[in-house]
Amino acid sequence: TGAKGEEVPVSDIREFIRAASGTGGKATLAIRGGRLVNVVSEEIYQADVAIYGERIIAVGDITDYIGPETKIVDATGKYLAPGMIDGHLHVECSKMSLTSFAKAVVPLGTTSIVTGLDQIIVVGGPAAAREFLDEAKQTPLKVFWGAPCKTPYTMPRSTVGHYFSPADHQATHHWPECVGIWETVREFIQEEDADVLAALELAEKSRLPVLGCCPMTRGARLNGYQQSGVRADHESYTPEEMLEKLRAGMHVVVRESSISHFLSDNLRIVTEMGVKALRRISFCTDDVVASDILKRGHLDNMVRMAIAMGISPMAAIQMATINGADALRIDDKVGSISPGRAADILLVDDLRNFSIETVVAKGEVVARNGKMAIELTPPERSVALLNSVKVKPLQPGDLKVAYHGAGETADAMAIAVTPEKIFVRTRRDVTLKVKDGEVLADPAADVQYVTVVERYGKTNNRPVAFTSGFGLKEGAIASSTAPDDNNIICIGADLEDMRTAINHLIANNGGQVVVRNGKVEAFLHLPIGGIVSDIEPAEMAALEDQLDDAARALGCPLPWPFMYMFVLQITAIPEYAITDLGVVDCVGLKVISPFSPASGDERAVAAE
């Protein structure tokens, strides 16, 4: 049944049984002359493949399956590898809609992704996720969905458009795309969060695996976390951490995102630490952007990186295919070129270079030589998703940092970032000037203002604090796409430029923007939920580069200015974050003041 309980047509299994048995219809597509990379038996041998509709019906000698209407793909001299699976991906963080994302990654051989759609859920709830899943059906990309353990993931709970609850789990576990409980954050298990524990009970009844998120978790904390029944985890910051999780029974997922590069280090458990259990290791990208995909590739890049480290092509391809399918218990659907599985097949020139010539997905040729071979048209968007920014424009003085202590200076802390560790935000103690009861940032000392503006119209929250490492000497940068809340986050050296940037996003129902001297220098419009767009991947990449270049012109030295900024709302990773509630101590799991006790003002900074 569908989201509203209506009956959903189901493909008649009889057709596939008869076609595969040779008593029904002939193959709709046949791939002939190729060498099969069998990731199950770990063999490479000559074999043809017969496809009926969206399924593989035969592998080997397929002479009897060929009919007069069968389309033939000549794979002479090519290897046949399964379509690749991204085992953990916040697809909305690419800022591309599912249609646009498919255009970016399908030509590179990614034919399946596993995503929680948690970023659109915090905006529009399960209805928005249902829109996205229905959209995916019209693309060559298979989308497997993990129901988020809860939303938001923040602790303490910040303000979002929708709080995904146990009732939502009950209403969605039957969705055909649902494959597990997504992003089960360690702190929720540690704190025995009632909603998450209820979701895990429902998962057990639904026979759904639990998918983890436990960065820097070892020893007793790992032992406690594993009582949740977690099956796979994608958050290992060192090979030693990954090895401990593997030894403790987990499937470990290696992450290589646009901003966090863990593959080369994590795979040392294979190349240096002697691990032989390669079938328990799979790949994911977590967060990627168009400019990086078009420059480096997607999962195909991870396969090449692994091979370059000395891992065999067979093992590297398994990590991108069957291993992830096994970890997620979807190997009966995808992950290998086998009868009954999805007809997702890559024609590869050379296994070591892993250059993909042709992509077959859902039973048809959809891409050749890195380009889509079919047209994809995005669906019409709902009014609710196109009008998701509810906050009123900011007025002059709204972002003033009021100070209630004594003296002409204030001792404060800045949330500090470094290029080396994007997800680890530390404390930098600073002394800032106070003028007319207002604390001033110090761009010359690399101390900027940072604010999160609640954009769902539920509160008037817009705390202002300080950050360091962004290097802005002037101007401001802002984004309405910012996991895990997708409230508007803004960093700036000038409060009026910050107000201009935020108001530009409010007026346009979302996007990313750079402002200097009151003028918009660069803007990326993200009208769908305020977080994604239907524009072409190449156009998205060009606009991303313009934004980053404009941010660097303000003084930002970071390799990915907007990605470093928009992860500041994530509280699941130490040590500090900022949400619409204020500065968060991610270890103590509490909102704190950015002023030191000695300053005489221990209150959290809020707009006045």
Side-chain angles (χ1 to χ4, degrees), residues 68 75 127 185 232 300 337 457 501 511 520:
V185 177
D300 59 321
I337 301 175
V520 172

Side-chain angles (χ1 to χ4, degrees), residues 505-520:
L505 298 186
I506 293 170
N508 287 278
N509 266 294
Q512 294 184 321
V513 67
V514 177
V515 170
R516 176 164 54 181
N517 296 326
K519 177 185 175 184
V520 172

